[in-house]
Amino acid sequence: MSSKIFFPSSPASVKLKDSDFNDGDLRTALTRYCPAVLQKFTPPWWLSSGHLQTIYVVTGNFRKIDRVVYHRIHLGLLDGGTLGLDFAPLNHQTQLKDDTPIVVVLPGLTGGCFESYVRSVLSIACAPVDNGGLGYRGVVINARGCGGVPITSQQWYSGGCTDDFQQALMYLAHRYPDAPLLGLGFSVGANVLMKYLGEARDQSRIPAACVLGCPWNLSANNVSLKSTLLGRFLYSRGLTKNLMTLLKRNAEGLSTGPDTRVSKAVNDTLALKNPRLDDFDRVFTSQTGGPAPLFPFDDILEYYKWASSHTALPTVEVPLLTINAADDPIVRKIPAHVDNPYLVMVVTAGGGHLGWFGKGPGLFGTSRWVTKPVVEWLEMAGERFVLEKRGAATYIDKEGFVRVDERDDLGCKVVPGGGIVDENVQNALYEGKWQGL
């Protein structure tokens, strides 16, 4: 299955470390250092459609492959919320230098470090060079309430609010000031990363990024999702099942506090019968998924318009690779090529939503096609590009929070909690949810 690759008409110049290839542009660099993205995706015969690929993402047993063990820290936020940062490899603090490139991962809706699509990349990116890896440090950003992270405030998370991501980046930039931060986003996490890149422009702390399965225009893709039987009754309700599971686990924490509006939204949402994704977003996410005064939104269309990331494409000012599948049954509306000099857009003919399962060994063997181009992109960005440090200077305030002068509402510090996230912990995090979406 041939892919469509959209290069900019005037690709941005990139500074490269190679002594024999100092001057070049993004297209030339990608063609030279990321050849896998130019190769066609070929699915196995039994995963020949987007539906089959996506269903296999959910039903396949990937727990024994691409194993990664993490060390988690909890970040306490200025508003009382908590994020979980899962670092790999487990011994990264003692075996990696502080200037080692860091792959900063934003997983999909309700996802975390345990997702197979995350492990498929980090198992290579964080493996030692002697073992065929990149030798990088990885960190998975677990949103409020996700991946076993406790809810400690009355704010939920959403696919459009970038404040929590910014605070995680502030911590990483302060803790590892000499390390390049390479962005990697999946699905809703890709949407957050895209929103951040568009907002930060030339001050992005992420100097290069890759996004996969981004939902782009949330309103258009919601309409498209509801237009098919499988979309309405399988995918939309499956995604909502994951959200409802998280909400039930965290209902007490969200309801404990002075904001009776959030408590009412919790009760109203838990009372919904067989809700679809837009039902959940209308009653809960659009009301609690970010700080006041932006939240609550008056209606879901207003929220979807604000949270969508396709409008960020023209304003990104760092090298960016986007990959979507044309047969993705969840993200059916992919933006037409945007002629941004920093942007390369790839649309594979097949792959479903976060699948891209290609032929593997044996009759029913699979391997994720998308892993190789992503790892090559990360290697090119971390080893070949000359990356400039950007973003506001950080400092520690008298209470121990990492702060920046430009945003007096943002701040974070390490708080008690976390520990080793091994295979047993990761398997427990699967309970009650659909994997992989």
Side-chain angles (χ1 to χ4, degrees):
M1 293 184 173
S2 299
S3 303
K4 294 181 179 179
I5 304 177
F6 301 96
F7 290 102
S9 58
S10 299
S13 297
V14 291
K15 295 180 181 180
L16 298 167
K17 299 176 183 177
D18 286 22
S19 59
D20 61 339
F21 193 59
N22 285 329
D23 299 318
D25 59 48
L26 183 58
R27 178 169 185 163
T28 304
L30 184 138
T31 302
R32 176 168 178 163
Y33 296 119
C34 301
V37 81
L38 307 176
Q39 298 172 1
K40 70 177 183 178
F41 164 69
T42 302
W45 62 270
W46 55 283
L47 295 175
S48 58
S49 73
H51 290 298
L52 292 173
Q53 288 268 334
T54 304
I55 291 170
Y56 189 59
V57 169
V58 175
T59 61
N61 184 1
F62 311 109
R63 300 189 185 191
K64 300 296 183 181
I65 62 173
D66 301 326
R67 292 174 173 173
V68 181
V69 179
Y70 306 86
H71 179 261
R72 171 172 295 183
I73 65 169
H74 282 171
L75 276 189
L77 308 181
L78 204 59
D79 70 351
T82 302
L83 304 179
L85 272 58
D86 293 342
F87 287 89
L90 186 61
N91 56 5
H92 73 102
Q93 292 284 42
T94 58
Q95 294 203 358
L96 299 181
K97 297 180 180 179
D98 282 354
D99 62 353
T100 299
I102 303 175
V103 184
V104 185
V105 181
L106 286 168
L109 188 68
T110 71
C113 68
F114 51 87
E115 297 289 4
S116 63
Y117 54 76
V118 172
R119 291 184 285 109
S120 72
V121 174
L122 292 189
S123 62
I124 300 174
C126 298
V129 174
D130 292 344
N131 293 345
L134 299 184
Y136 287 3
R137 179 180 280 109
V139 58
V140 182
I141 311 298
N142 295 277
R144 303 171 188 238
C146 294
V149 175
I151 287 281
T152 55
S153 74
Q154 287 191 277
Q155 183 176 310
W156 190 245
Y157 84 101
S158 72
C161 187
T162 64
D163 284 358
D164 289 357
F165 182 51
Q166 290 188 56
Q167 291 172 96
L169 293 179
M170 286 162 52
Y171 169 78
L172 293 170
H174 190 84
R175 174 63 183 83
Y176 302 100
D178 297 322
L181 307 178
L182 309 177
L184 177 61
F186 298 89
S187 194
V188 168
N191 197 77
V192 174
L193 178 54
M194 280 302 311
K195 288 266 292 182
Y196 169 77
L197 295 175
E199 292 167 0
R201 301 194 179 202
D202 66 348
Q203 291 303 303
S204 170
R205 295 189 190 276
I206 299 287
C210 177
V211 299
L212 291 82
C214 185
W216 304 112
N217 187 327
L218 301 187
S219 181
N221 274 304
N222 177 60
V223 171
S224 182
L225 190 64
K226 295 193 299 182
S227 68
T228 68
L229 287 175
L230 284 177
R232 286 198 302 275
F233 295 106
L234 181 62
Y235 303 123
S236 184
R237 287 186 175 169
L239 290 165
T240 309
K241 176 181 180 291
N242 287 352
L243 286 165
M244 292 292 283
T245 297
L246 278 188
L247 180 56
K248 290 173 184 177
R249 290 176 182 171
N250 294 287
E252 182 177 354
L254 286 162
S255 300
T256 302
D259 195 338
T260 57
R261 173 183 55 85
V262 175
S263 300
K264 181 179 184 304
V266 170
N267 293 330
D268 290 347
T269 307
L270 293 178
L272 294 172
K273 303 298 183 184
N274 299 315
R276 293 192 294 262
L277 187 58
D278 55 345
D279 297 321
F280 188 96
D281 286 341
R282 173 177 53 81
V283 179
F284 198 70
T285 308
S286 65
Q287 305 301 299
T288 66
L294 183 60
F295 283 76
F297 282 87
D298 291 334
D299 61 68
I300 190 174
L301 292 180
E302 182 184 352
Y303 164 70
Y304 279 159
K305 180 179 180 181
W306 166 81
S308 293
S309 65
H310 65 291
T311 54
L313 283 166
T315 60
V316 173
E317 296 188 32
V318 299
L320 172 65
L321 173 66
T322 77
I323 305 178
N324 284 86
D327 65 354
D328 186 333
I330 294 174
V331 182
R332 300 177 66 195
K333 302 297 182 181
I334 302 170
H337 173 54
V338 176
D339 196 8
N340 179 328
Y342 295 95
L343 174 65
V344 177
M345 302 184 74
V346 176
V347 181
T348 59
H353 189 67
L354 301 182
W356 290 290
F357 294 104
K359 294 179 180 178
L363 185 61
F364 293 102
T366 62
S367 64
R368 268 195 157 105
W369 169 89
V370 79
T371 300
K372 189 171 183 179
V374 170
V375 170
E376 287 182 349
W377 172 269
L378 294 172
E379 182 178 23
M380 176 179 69
E383 303 297 330
R384 306 288 186 179
F385 287 177
V386 177
L387 300 174
E388 299 179 4
K389 296 291 292 184
R390 297 172 179 173
T394 59
Y395 67 93
I396 303 292
D397 72 7
K398 61 182 181 181
E399 296 180 351
F401 285 93
V402 180
R403 305 288 297 275
V404 292
D405 286 333
E406 288 74 7
R407 291 287 302 271
D408 60 8
D409 58 326
L410 301 185
C412 62
K413 65 179 179 180
V414 177
V415 297
I420 295 176
V421 183
D422 59 13
E423 182 179 344
N424 291 330
V425 175
Q426 293 176 46
N427 288 341
L429 294 174
Y430 276 116
E431 297 303 321
K433 75 180 296 291
W434 284 19
Q435 66 177 359
L437 297 180

